[in-house]
Amino acid sequence: MSVRKVGSNLERCFVTTRLGRIHVAMAGTGFPVLLLHQTPRSWDEYRDVLPLLGRDFRAIAMDTLGFGDSDSPAADPSIELWAEAAFALLDALEEPRAAIVGHHTGAVIAVEMTASAPARVSALVLSACPFVDAARRARHDGMRVIDEVEARTDGSHLTKLWARRQPFYPADDIDLLQRFMVDALRAGEMAAEGHRVVNRYRMEDRLGSIQCPTLVIAPTADPHVHPVAPRVAGAIEGSILRELSGGMVPLPDQMPDAFAGLVRDFVAAQVAGK
């Protein structure tokens, strides 16, 4: 594993796992906190969160298989496969247990990780988690997803993609949208397919089996997930629901201090002494 140090005490490296090479960025030492990004982002979604969590934990942000600089999956992408890859990364890093934090698609992966291997998850944070049940699967079946644009030689598809995403980002924040565009272009076809993977997942079969301490974060200005946050939290016994006022789709990189604060306080309370 070759490690390259970057700014803010971050380290970036490729980790060879049984499912392929996975790119990660890490900060700090101590109890591991694994951060899972939304579609079609990368570890960069947590670029400003990592050094904040790294003050207290070993914060690890991975690129999901098929995104960022990680290898493409050898099999058809699925939430189950992405969860298995995340565990393969933890195995390679020799971390038997971790706190798992996921945002949007990352939250869905985190659900599957916690349901499939409860002994390995000490605490769970679901940020902007969709509620994927039979009704949602039927509603989204065959529909065009937000990041699905047809590539054109004049580049007009890039303008279309920017325009589709802009309403869900802070007004006039060009930097956040540029970071999104970089990741979306790198993801290629997976930028759209990642959303379809989420919409195929049978989440309603998994939420009820989650037993570890769980925090559900509901950004109030994210119209995709804020209305269903109570359903997600209500399906997990003992979970805590917290709203973040003004939070939008890019919550971790939009409000890194507030996001990291919620995660830090919750995880610290759960893993103290472990």
Side-chain angles (χ1 to χ4, degrees), residues 48-49 52 55 251-252 254-264:
D48 300 314
V49 171
L52 299 174
R55 298 170 184 169
L251 177 63
Q254 174 203 1
M255 304 173 66
D257 292 287
F259 180 87
L262 280 178
V263 172
R264 179 183 61 248

Side-chain angles (χ1 to χ4, degrees), residues 159-224:
T159 303
K160 182 180 292 186
L161 181 58
W162 180 287
R164 284 189 187 171
R165 279 283 180 162
Q166 195 167 30
F168 307 110
Y169 277 66
D172 302 322
D173 194 328
I174 294 176
D175 178 64
L176 285 185
L177 270 170
Q178 286 179 331
R179 288 166 63 182
F180 161 81
M181 292 293 292
V182 168
D183 280 342
L185 289 174
R186 183 182 295 145
E189 293 182 358
M190 285 302 298
E193 184 61 21
H195 298 292
R196 300 190 190 101
V197 169
V198 169
N199 291 331
R200 291 194 293 265
Y201 183 58
R202 295 187 61 87
M203 179 183 285
E204 71 271 36
D205 296 340
R206 304 302 262 167
L207 287 172
S209 63
I210 294 175
Q211 311 239 335
C212 76
T214 302
L215 172 66
V216 177
I217 300 176
T220 62
D222 185 335
H224 303 296

Side-chain angles (χ1 to χ4, degrees), residues 16-234:
T16 300
T17 78
R18 61 182 180 272
L19 291 179
R21 285 196 321 161
I22 293 177
H23 174 259
V24 300
M26 298 181 287
T29 59
F31 194 86
V33 177
L34 180 64
L35 302 161
L36 307 171
H37 62 80
Q38 69 173 301
T39 299
R41 295 300 312 278
S42 70
W43 78 273
D44 179 72
E45 180 162 70
Y46 296 107
R47 182 177 70 189
D48 300 314
V49 171
L50 278 169
L52 299 174
L53 291 180
R55 298 170 184 169
D56 302 282
F57 309 106
R58 185 187 189 190
I60 307 162
M62 65 176 284
D63 289 348
T64 300
L65 287 180
F67 296 88
D69 289 319
S70 288
D71 286 350
S72 296
D76 290 338
S78 68
I79 296 299
E80 292 82 0
L81 177 65
W82 287 339
E84 184 182 354
F87 280 129
L89 171 66
L90 292 175
D91 290 341
L93 295 176
E94 300 182 338
E95 297 287 7
R97 288 173 63 83
I100 309 297
V101 179
H103 182 63
H104 271 280
T105 301
V108 182
I109 299 170
V111 165
E112 177 59 27
M113 292 180 70
T114 310
S116 63
R120 301 199 61 179
V121 182
S122 298
L124 174 66
V125 179
L126 303 178
S127 170
C129 185
F131 188 84
V132 187
D133 60 358
R136 174 175 168 132
R137 287 190 296 274
R139 188 166 63 250
H140 286 271
D141 185 35
M143 285 182 58
R144 185 191 71 186
V145 295
I146 187 171
D147 297 325
E148 183 179 2
V149 293
E150 182 181 351
R152 297 187 178 277
T153 56
D154 63 0
S156 59
H157 60 293
L158 303 181
T159 303
K160 182 180 292 186
L161 181 58
W162 180 287
R164 284 189 187 171
R165 279 283 180 162
Q166 195 167 30
F168 307 110
Y169 277 66
D172 302 322
D173 194 328
I174 294 176
D175 178 64
L176 285 185
L177 270 170
Q178 286 179 331
R179 288 166 63 182
F180 161 81
M181 292 293 292
V182 168
D183 280 342
L185 289 174
R186 183 182 295 145
E189 293 182 358
M190 285 302 298
E193 184 61 21
H195 298 292
R196 300 190 190 101
V197 169
V198 169
N199 291 331
R200 291 194 293 265
Y201 183 58
R202 295 187 61 87
M203 179 183 285
E204 71 271 36
D205 296 340
R206 304 302 262 167
L207 287 172
S209 63
I210 294 175
Q211 311 239 335
C212 76
T214 302
L215 172 66
V216 177
I217 300 176
T220 62
D222 185 335
H224 303 296
V225 295
H226 182 256
V228 300
R231 297 186 68 188
V232 174

